[in-house]
Amino acid sequence: MGFFTDFKAFLMKGEIVNLATAVIVGGAFGKIVTSFTNDVLMPPIGLLLGKVDFKNLKLVLQDGVPAVVENGVQKSKAVAEVTLNYGAFIQTIFDFVIIGFCIFIVLKAYEKAQQKIKKEDEPKVTTGPTQEQLLAEIRDLLKKK
């Protein structure tokens, strides 16, 4: 019974809930960025590069072989082609850079907001006269007496 109680307490900790929330929001954010790169950013880039669709760029390492059927009897199975899908890799790199840039912008804005809050919370320090100025005033007062 202690194991399940400990496990439940672990799951209900604030850090775990915050982490789960961050993962869910991060996943949704990743979908937004992927859609942005696939549907908004990459088509014009592909058009500029001669109507290239990055997702379809690949290097065929071995051609595929279709299935052989004679008189309704399958003589051999189909063999899929073996490809190196470098276009999908380029697309993933674009996604990564855009996600990284967006997170950078969000963190910069967060840091700026935190600095502003910290400045507002700091007590206002008023500077008084220096020690030399105080001593000079005391000297002047003593001279007058």
Side-chain angles (χ1 to χ4, degrees):
M1 192 71 147
F3 175 78
F4 291 109
T5 305
D6 291 344
F7 184 63
K8 180 181 174 186
F10 170 74
L11 289 178
M12 292 315 203
K13 283 184 180 178
E15 295 86 14
I16 298 298
V17 174
N18 290 342
L19 179 61
T21 303
V23 167
I24 292 167
V25 171
F29 182 70
K31 288 181 182 180
I32 291 169
V33 171
T34 299
S35 175
F36 174 73
T37 55
N38 290 342
D39 303 329
V40 176
L41 189 64
M42 296 310 290
I45 291 173
L47 189 62
L48 289 172
L49 296 175
K51 298 184 180 180
V52 174
D53 184 5
F54 281 91
K55 291 176 275 186
N56 295 330
L57 295 177
K58 62 185 174 184
L59 177 65
V60 177
L61 301 175
Q62 180 180 348
D63 289 327
V65 178
V68 176
V69 179
E70 291 179 6
N71 300 327
V73 178
Q74 184 173 348
K75 297 287 184 174
S76 67
K77 292 184 179 181
V79 177
E81 71 179 359
V82 179
T83 61
L84 186 66
N85 300 320
Y86 66 91
F89 181 69
I90 291 171
Q91 185 72 41
T92 303
I93 290 173
F94 272 110
D95 289 348
F96 174 77
V97 170
I98 291 171
I99 289 172
F101 180 72
C102 291
I103 290 173
F104 174 76
I105 296 298
V106 168
L107 288 177
K108 279 296 197 183
Y110 175 77
E111 288 173 5
K112 197 171 194 175
Q114 289 298 321
Q115 288 175 352
K116 186 176 180 181
I117 290 170
K118 189 176 180 181
K119 264 187 187 175
E120 290 172 358
D121 290 345
E122 288 179 358
K124 302 291 182 194
V125 178
T126 56
T127 57
T130 64
Q131 187 176 3
E132 290 80 15
Q133 291 171 333
L134 289 173
L135 289 172
E137 285 180 30
I138 293 170
R139 181 197 64 211
D140 293 342
L141 289 172
L142 289 174
K143 281 184 183 179
K144 287 182 184 176
K145 289 186 177 183

